[in-house]
C-alpha cells in the first residue's frame, strides 16, 4: 500500500518532498516537527499504543507470521548476530547469505523444517544456524541451516566426533532392533 505521493512542487515551508496521501502533509515538515517536539510525539505514540494495544500486538503477530513463512532465516540471522556480539566472534553472514542458502531443509539430514512453532528455545524440527567449526565465527563458509535438535545434539563437538557418535547410534539401534 502506497502511503506517499509527489507533486514536485514545494510545500508552504519550501520542501520539495513526498507527501502523505491521508493528510497531504510534507514528510520533511513532519520530520522537522518531530525533531522540534520530541516529548509531544513520544507521549502521543505512548497514548496511541495504550489506547489500541490489542490491535498493535495483533499487527506485530501477523507481521512475524509473514516473516516466519516468507523469510524464516531473518530471525535466525538476527539472533546469531546478538550471540556473536556477546561472545566476541566474527559475524559475516547476512540476509543475502540466508536467501541464497535457505532450502527449507536441514543441510545434514534433509528433513524439512517445521516453521509453525514459536517457542522461546525452538521446536526440535525448527531451523537453527550451525557453526561447523565452533572455534570460527558465523561466516558463509562455516555456517549452515540445520534442525534445532541436530544443533543441540552437536553442541561444541567437532564435525568428526559428531558424525562418529551419530553413526554409532544408528548401528547400535539397528542391531538391537534386528536382535529383538
Amino acid at each position: 500500500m502506497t502511503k506517499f505521493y509527489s507533486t514536485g512542487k514545494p510545500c508552504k515551508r519550501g520542501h520539495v518532498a513526498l507527501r502523505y496521501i491521508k493528510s497531504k502533509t510534507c514528510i520533511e515538515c513532519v520530520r522537522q516537527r518531530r525533531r522540534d517536539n520530541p516529548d509531544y510525539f513520544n507521549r502521543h505514540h505512548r497514548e496511541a499504543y495504550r489506547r489500541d494495544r490489542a490491535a498493535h500486538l495483533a499487527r506485530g503477530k501477523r507481521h512475524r507470521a509473514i516473516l516466519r513463512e516468507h523469510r524464516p532465516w531473518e530471525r535466525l540471522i538476527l539472533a546469531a548476530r546478538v550471540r556473536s556480539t556477546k561472545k566476541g566472534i566474527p559475524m559475516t553472514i547476512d540476509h543475502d547469505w540466508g536467501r541464497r542458502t535457505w532450502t527449507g531443509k536441514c543441510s545434514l539430514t534433509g528433513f524439512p523444517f517445521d516453521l509453525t512453532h514459536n517457542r522461546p528455545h525452538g521446536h526440535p524440527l525448527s531451523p537453527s544456524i550451525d557453526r561447523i567449526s565452533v572455534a570460527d565465527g558465523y561466516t558463509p563458509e562455516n555456517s549452515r541451516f540445520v534442525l534445532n535438535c541436530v544443533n543441540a545434539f552437536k553442541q561444541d563437538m567437532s564435525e568428526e566426533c559428531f558424525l562418529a557418535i551419530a553413526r554409532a547410534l544408528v548401528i547400535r539401534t539397528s542391531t538391537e532392533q534386528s536382535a529383538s
Side-chain angles (χ1 to χ4, degrees), residues 129-170:
I129 298 177
D130 173 43
R131 288 180 291 144
I132 298 166
S133 170
V134 181
D136 299 330
Y138 291 98
T139 62
E141 308 79 34
N142 192 47
S143 302
R144 60 189 171 193
F145 292 109
V146 297
L147 291 169
N148 194 31
C149 60
V150 170
N151 210 4
F153 175 53
K154 182 178 178 256
Q155 291 191 5
D156 293 342
M157 283 188 256
S158 68
E159 187 81 2
E160 297 78 25
C161 181
F162 168 71
L163 292 173
I165 291 172
R167 284 187 196 104
L169 181 65
V170 169

Side-chain angles (χ1 to χ4, degrees), residues 7 18 49 75 113 116 128 138 151-152 168 176:
T7 63
L18 293 175
Y49 177 80
R75 69 178 180 81
F113 295 122
T116 60
S128 177
Y138 291 98
N151 210 4
E176 286 179 359

Side-chain angles (χ1 to χ4, degrees), residues 1 3 26 56:
M1 176 190 293
K3 294 181 178 182
C26 164
H56 177 80

Side-chain angles (χ1 to χ4, degrees), residues 4 14 26 37 46 55 57 61 66 73 75 81 85 92 97 114 118 121 125 129 145 155 159 179:
F4 311 105
C26 164
N37 304 304
R46 275 194 307 272
L57 294 174
K61 190 173 185 177
I66 289 168
W73 60 85
R75 69 178 180 81
R81 183 168 291 127
T85 302
T92 58
W97 172 86
D114 184 353
N118 196 16
H121 297 291
L125 299 178
I129 298 177
F145 292 109
Q155 291 191 5
E159 187 81 2

Side-chain angles (χ1 to χ4, degrees), residues 67-137:
L67 283 180
R68 203 169 34 250
E69 181 181 341
H70 297 291
R71 296 187 306 248
W73 60 85
E74 284 193 358
R75 69 178 180 81
L76 299 170
I77 291 173
L78 290 173
R81 183 168 291 127
V82 169
R83 286 191 303 275
S84 69
T85 302
K86 283 183 182 177
K87 294 179 180 181
I89 57 176
M91 168 77 174
T92 58
I93 60 173
D94 56 10
H95 296 288
D96 290 332
W97 172 86
R99 189 179 304 109
R100 284 191 315 271
T101 58
W102 179 261
T103 62
K105 296 180 180 179
C106 175
S107 63
L108 287 175
T109 65
F111 273 55
F113 295 122
D114 184 353
L115 303 174
T116 60
H117 297 281
N118 196 16
R119 295 183 186 172
H121 297 291
H123 185 270
L125 299 178
S126 64
S128 177
I129 298 177
D130 173 43
R131 288 180 291 144
I132 298 166
S133 170
V134 181
D136 299 330

